[in-house]
Amino acid sequence: MLYRTLGNTQETVSAIGLGGFHIGKQQDEQESLRIIRSAIDRGITFMDNCWDYNEGLSEIRMGNALRDGYRDRVFLMTKADGRTKASAAQQIDESLKRLQTDHIDLLQFHEVIRLEDPDRIFAEEGAVAAFRDAKQAGKIRYVGFTGHKDPLVHLRMLEVARQHDFQFDTVQMPLNVMDAHFRSFQHYVLPVLLERGIGVLGMKSMADGHILKSHVVSAIECLHYALNLPTSVVITGIDSMEILDQAIQAAESFNPLSAEAVTELLSRTRAVADSGQYEPFKTDNIFDATAMNPEWLGVSAA
């Protein structure tokens, strides 16, 4: 397994992260636990999750898997949807209970996908107050945010945070062979994160399989491309032991790509990437869980 430093935190984490959404999808909980523990035994230390994944089932299964000493072997991350202080505080406490831990290593504001999300989060009674309280109480160690819609939203979140003298430890965003051509987080957001020493969490390297439907790039190539970027972690969905093997293989076989190899990959994907059809999380609302469940935000309208 490859290991990298998480931005300015000096934490060492696995370059491959276990996506939390997919480990709540197995019919048998024991299969979920087997995937999680096998991933840890094979060197994956970064655990991704979210308060809303599978109505809390993903966190519950993660908590069960991290018993028997496994919690001490991982860097545990989860996310909260709440935009108000009250809703975020409630979700933080629920996540701690489900995960069966007294602290979360990294807590992130989830689905920052609207231009108004930063204003809600940093309002006087916004979610940032709950995050600050939780950090002071020792419930969380680091703070970040995630989003998948548009790099302009990420840039605005970073700017509003700066206006409030708030420094993020991490930012999570789509980084893949298609993103390089369309509404590119790689081109617009990544340089800002590197300049500020913010840990880069790449996600949607295969866009939940949509990119593979283009038939112009393989799963291993997708993972290698994301690993070749200056990411601290590439979070990937792992819903079976076979997909775990694939993720481990990608890490073990990775070598920095030559400029020629990157150019060839981008040339191969350019024609099919321009419309965003293989990144539907940018162009459609099918990935926008909070748009379909606005009550999670704790505000009157999404």
Side-chain angles (χ1 to χ4, degrees):
M1 179 53 57
L2 300 170
Y3 295 93
R4 295 175 173 174
T5 302
L6 185 63
N8 285 337
T9 69
Q10 302 306 309
E11 299 283 348
T12 299
V13 290
S14 56
I16 292 287
L18 178 74
F21 182 76
H22 291 78
I23 53 91
K25 289 298 184 182
Q26 295 72 38
Q27 289 189 344
D28 183 359
E29 180 182 19
Q30 292 305 310
E31 179 64 10
S32 302
L33 271 56
R34 188 163 75 100
I35 292 169
I36 296 168
R37 290 191 169 187
S38 294
I40 298 169
D41 289 339
R42 297 176 71 177
I44 295 178
T45 63
F46 191 96
M47 301 287 114
D48 162 270
N49 222 304
C50 183
W51 171 84
D52 71 44
Y53 283 167
N54 300 296
E55 299 181 340
L57 189 61
S58 287
E59 286 189 332
I60 290 170
R61 291 187 175 182
M62 181 70 75
N64 288 336
L66 295 182
R67 293 175 177 172
D68 306 321
Y70 277 86
R71 172 66 183 94
D72 296 333
R73 298 168 58 184
V74 303
F75 186 91
L76 181 60
M77 180 267 279
T78 196
K79 317 177 195 85
D81 297 305
R83 297 296 185 254
T84 66
K85 179 180 180 180
S87 60
Q90 179 183 349
Q91 291 171 12
I92 292 168
D93 286 342
E94 288 176 355
S95 290
L96 286 165
K97 183 177 181 180
R98 293 170 182 165
L99 293 166
Q100 302 179 45
T101 185
D102 62 356
H103 75 280
I104 295 161
D105 295 303
L106 170 62
L107 183 67
Q108 300 197 103
F109 299 101
H110 188 221
E111 277 197 9
V112 178
I113 57 176
R114 310 162 189 83
L115 286 172
E116 66 270 20
D117 278 338
D119 302 292
R120 289 172 168 171
I121 288 169
F122 283 94
E124 185 174 351
E125 287 296 311
V128 72
F131 277 52
R132 282 189 170 119
D133 288 350
K135 189 171 184 179
Q136 186 173 7
K139 295 178 180 180
I140 62 177
R141 299 174 61 211
Y142 302 108
V143 175
F145 76 90
T146 84
H148 55 255
K149 188 60 66 182
D150 193 301
L152 293 178
V153 178
H154 270 51
L155 292 175
R156 187 161 194 280
M157 183 68 162
L158 289 166
E159 177 56 30
V160 173
R162 173 171 276 187
Q163 292 169 6
H164 288 81
D165 196 28
F166 189 93
Q167 173 72 10
F168 286 109
D169 299 299
T170 61
V171 171
Q172 185 170 331
M173 58 189 182
L175 291 170
N176 59 64
V177 293
M178 303 291 183
D179 170 77
H181 305 294
F182 180 78
R183 289 191 198 170
S184 180
F185 287 85
Q186 174 183 337
H187 293 325
Y188 294 110
V189 182
L190 183 58
V192 178
L193 304 185
L194 297 178
E195 179 185 347
R196 300 186 188 180
I198 299 173
V200 180
L201 307 181
M203 65 174 171
K204 303 192 186 304
S205 58
M206 289 171 264
D208 200 23
H210 286 278
I211 289 176
L212 300 181
K213 295 175 184 176
S214 70
H215 302 296
V216 299
V217 65
S218 70
I220 295 294
E221 286 177 319
C222 287
L223 289 168
H224 280 178
Y225 180 85
L227 287 167
N228 195 63
L229 295 172
T231 48
S232 296
V233 184
V234 174
I235 299 166
T236 186
I238 297 174
D239 57 9
S240 68
M241 296 300 291
E242 290 75 20
I243 297 299
L244 174 59
D245 289 341
Q246 174 182 276
I248 296 293
Q249 178 191 347
E252 291 179 345
S253 62
F254 174 73
N255 287 301
L257 301 179
S258 66
E260 292 77 14
V262 172
T263 298
E264 192 279 328
L265 262 177
L266 294 180
S267 176
R268 202 191 320 159
T269 56
R270 180 174 291 108
V272 295
D274 285 345
S275 67
Q277 64 176 314
Y278 295 110
E279 292 186 282
F281 46 85
K282 293 180 180 177
T283 59
D284 201 303
N285 67 356
I286 60 172
F287 281 75
D288 304 349
T290 52
M292 293 178 276
N293 300 275
E295 68 278 4
W296 293 350
L297 302 176
V299 294
S300 58

